[in-house]
C-alpha cells in the first residue's frame, strides 16, 4: 500500500500533531512499514497481519519502559486503531536522534565498536530486569505482556502451530520436520523460569547511536514488534552473539556490559539451542505465509535448522 499525503495529514490533524510538511519511507527489511514525518515523528502501520495486536504491544511496552526504566525508547504520541483514515492500526512515535548502529558499524574503529557493544549489553540487561506476571505475547485485556502460566507448554504449543503451517505449505522436507518434532519432544525446556521482557530482535539494526565528540552513545532502542514475556535466554533464539549474523555486536564487550548489570546463566548457549530451533522454524513459517516461500530466505533458515539438529545428534 502507498500512503497518500492526505492520509498522513488527516492522521496528524486528528491527533493534534501539527500540519504535514514532508515525509519519507524508511527503507528497511522490517515487516511493518515505517515513515519519518516532518523530521520529528515516526509513523508505522501494520498491513501484514492487521488482525494482530502488534502495535498495541509496542505502544504499551514503550510506555511501560519509559516509566519504569531509563532505556532510550521513543515516546508514544498516538495509537490509532479506528481504521477510519487507514484500514490498519497506526502508531505515531517521537523521532529519536541517531542512526542505526548497523549502518555505520563497518566504518567504526575497534574502540567505538567495543563501546557500543558494551552499552548494548547493559541496555539488554536493564530490559531483562523488567519482570512480567506470565509468559507469552501481548494480552489485549490486561494491556500487558504475558498470559500463560507455563513457559514450556506455551513454547511447545507455538512450535506445534508452526510445524502444522510448514506441513501445509510443504515449506521444509518431511524428514527435517520429523527430526525437529522429535528433538522438541525430547529436549529440556524449563517450565517456570524467571519471566522478563525479551526484545525478540535485538541487535545493531534496532539500536540508534549518535557521535558526541570522540565517543558514540546509544540514543535509541526501537522495533519491539517481536517482544514477549519469556525466559531471558530466549533473547538468544535469534542467534544473537551465536550465529554469524551482521547485526551482532562484539560478543566479549557485549557480555561484559550485560554482566555489569545482570547475571547471565552460565549455560545460556546450551539452553538457547532449542529456542534457536523454534525461532528458525517460526521464520520459515513466516516466509511461507508472507514472502511466497522466498528460496533464499528459506535456504538460510533451513541451513540453521539442519546445523542445530546435527549438533544435537
Amino acid at each position: 500500500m502507498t500512503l497518500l499525503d492526505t492520509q498522513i495529514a488527516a492522521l496528524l490533524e486528528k491527533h493534534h500533531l501539527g500540519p504535514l510538511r514532508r515525509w519519507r519511507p524508511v527503507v528497511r527489511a522490517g515487516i511493518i512499514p515505517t515513515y519519518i514525518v516532518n523530521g520529528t515523528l515516526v509513523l508505522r502501520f501494520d498491513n501484514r497481519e492487521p488482525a494482530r495486536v502488534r502495535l498495541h504491544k509496542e505502544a504499551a511496552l514503550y510506555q511501560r519502559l519509559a516509566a519504569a526504566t531509563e532505556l532510550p525508547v521513543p515516546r508514544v504520541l498516538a495509537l490509532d486503531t479506528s481504521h477510519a483514515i487507514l484500514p490498519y492500526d497506526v502508531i505515531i512515535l517521537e523521532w529519536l536522534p541517531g542512526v542505526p548502529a548497523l549502518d555505520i558499524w563497518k566504518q567504526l574503529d575497534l574502540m567505538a565498536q567495543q563501546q557500543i557493544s558494551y552499552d548494548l549489553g547493559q541496555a539488554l540487561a536493564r530490559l531483562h530486569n523488567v519482570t512480567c506476571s506470565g509468559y507469552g505475547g501481548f494480552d489485549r485485556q490486561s494491556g500487558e505482556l504475558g498470559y500463560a502460566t507455563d513457559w514450556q507448554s506455551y513454547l511447545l504449543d507455538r512450535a506445534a502451530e508452526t510445524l502444522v503451517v510448514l506441513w501445509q505449505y510443504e515449506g521444509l522436507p518431511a524428514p527435517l520436520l520429523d527430526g525437529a518434532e522429535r528433538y522438541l519432544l525430547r529436549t529440556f525446556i524449563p517450565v517456570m523460569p524467571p519471566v522478563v521482557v525479551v526484545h525478540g530482535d535485538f541487535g545493531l539494526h534496532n539500536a540508534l547511536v549518535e557521535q558526541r565528540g570522540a565517543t558514540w552513545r546509544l540514543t535509541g532502542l526501537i522495533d519491539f514488534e517481536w517482544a514477549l514475556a519469556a525466559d531471558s535466554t530466549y533473547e538468544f533464539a535469534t542467534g544473537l552473539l551465536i550465529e554469524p549474523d551482521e547485526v551482532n555486536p562484539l560478543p566479549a564487550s557485549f557480555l561484559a556490559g550485560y554482566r555489569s548489570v545482570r547475571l547471565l546463566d552460565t549455560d545460556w548457549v546450551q539452553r538457547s539451542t532449542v529456542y534457536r530451533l523454534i525461532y528458525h522454524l517460526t521464520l520459515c513459517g513466516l516466509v511461507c505465509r508472507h514472502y511466497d516461500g522466498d528460496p533464499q530466505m528459506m535456504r538460510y533458515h533451513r541451513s540453521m535448522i539442519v546445523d542445530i539438529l546435527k549438533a544435537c545428534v
Side-chain angles (χ1 to χ4, degrees), residues 205-275:
H205 56 314
N206 283 328
L208 302 178
V209 294
E210 185 178 51
Q211 189 171 20
R212 297 284 178 88
T215 63
W216 288 82
R217 61 186 292 269
L218 182 65
T219 58
L221 293 179
I222 57 174
D223 290 8
F224 280 74
E225 60 193 82
W226 300 107
L228 74 162
D231 176 2
S232 61
T233 308
Y234 192 76
E235 196 74 76
F236 299 95
T238 62
L240 177 66
L241 307 187
I242 300 172
E243 296 176 9
D245 195 316
E246 65 173 358
V247 306
N248 284 340
L250 301 179
S253 300
F254 181 91
L255 291 172
Y258 189 99
R259 288 174 173 140
S260 72
V261 174
R262 187 177 192 274
L263 292 176
L264 183 65
D265 293 332
T266 56
D267 64 343
W268 65 271
V269 175
Q270 292 76 20
R271 286 175 57 198
S272 67
T273 300
V274 64
Y275 299 154

Side-chain angles (χ1 to χ4, degrees), residues 19-263:
L20 174 64
R21 296 188 299 276
R22 64 187 186 278
W23 62 278
R24 62 177 176 83
V26 176
V27 180
R28 46 195 287 150
I31 287 178
I32 296 182
T34 302
Y35 301 84
I36 305 296
V37 178
N38 292 342
T40 60
L41 308 174
V42 177
L43 186 152
R44 289 157 61 80
F45 64 90
D46 191 355
N47 64 338
R48 285 281 186 175
E49 297 179 271
R52 295 188 62 176
V53 293
R54 202 191 307 265
L55 296 185
H56 293 251
K57 175 174 69 176
E58 272 204 313
L61 259 179
Y62 283 140
Q63 289 164 344
R64 182 180 179 191
L65 295 176
T69 74
E70 295 183 356
L71 291 171
V73 295
R75 188 162 54 100
V76 179
L77 303 176
L79 176 65
D80 193 316
T81 60
S82 68
H83 298 186
I85 298 170
L86 285 177
Y88 312 111
D89 291 347
V90 178
I91 191 170
I92 302 177
L93 304 168
E94 167 193 37
W95 176 86
L96 295 177
V99 296
L102 182 62
D103 291 356
I104 48 89
W105 189 248
K106 292 182 180 178
Q107 305 164 26
L108 301 176
D109 60 27
L110 179 60
M111 185 174 296
Q113 291 182 345
Q114 288 174 333
Q115 182 61 59
I116 291 171
S117 298
Y118 185 90
D119 292 347
L120 280 174
Q122 285 194 325
L124 184 62
R126 293 190 177 104
L127 179 65
H128 289 175
N129 279 337
V130 180
T131 60
C132 302
S133 58
Y135 304 99
F138 185 71
D139 181 10
R140 199 169 196 165
Q141 277 193 317
S142 67
E144 299 282 348
L145 280 181
Y147 51 83
T149 58
D150 180 329
W151 170 241
Q152 183 186 80
S153 296
Y154 166 79
L155 203 59
L156 288 177
D157 286 348
R158 268 185 69 187
E161 291 171 3
T162 298
L163 288 171
V164 168
V165 168
L166 291 172
W167 279 107
Q168 291 173 338
Y169 280 86
E170 298 182 351
L172 292 173
L176 192 58
L177 292 175
D178 283 335
E181 185 175 13
R182 287 196 303 271
Y183 173 73
L184 289 172
L185 290 176
R186 73 171 186 267
T187 194
F188 170 75
I189 297 175
V191 177
M192 294 186 68
V195 55
V196 303
V197 175
V198 165
H199 182 281
D201 193 19
F202 200 83
L204 299 174
H205 56 314
N206 283 328
L208 302 178
V209 294
E210 185 178 51
Q211 189 171 20
R212 297 284 178 88
T215 63
W216 288 82
R217 61 186 292 269
L218 182 65
T219 58
L221 293 179
I222 57 174
D223 290 8
F224 280 74
E225 60 193 82
W226 300 107
L228 74 162
D231 176 2
S232 61
T233 308
Y234 192 76
E235 196 74 76
F236 299 95
T238 62
L240 177 66
L241 307 187
I242 300 172
E243 296 176 9
D245 195 316
E246 65 173 358
V247 306
N248 284 340
L250 301 179
S253 300
F254 181 91
L255 291 172
Y258 189 99
R259 288 174 173 140
S260 72
V261 174
R262 187 177 192 274
L263 292 176

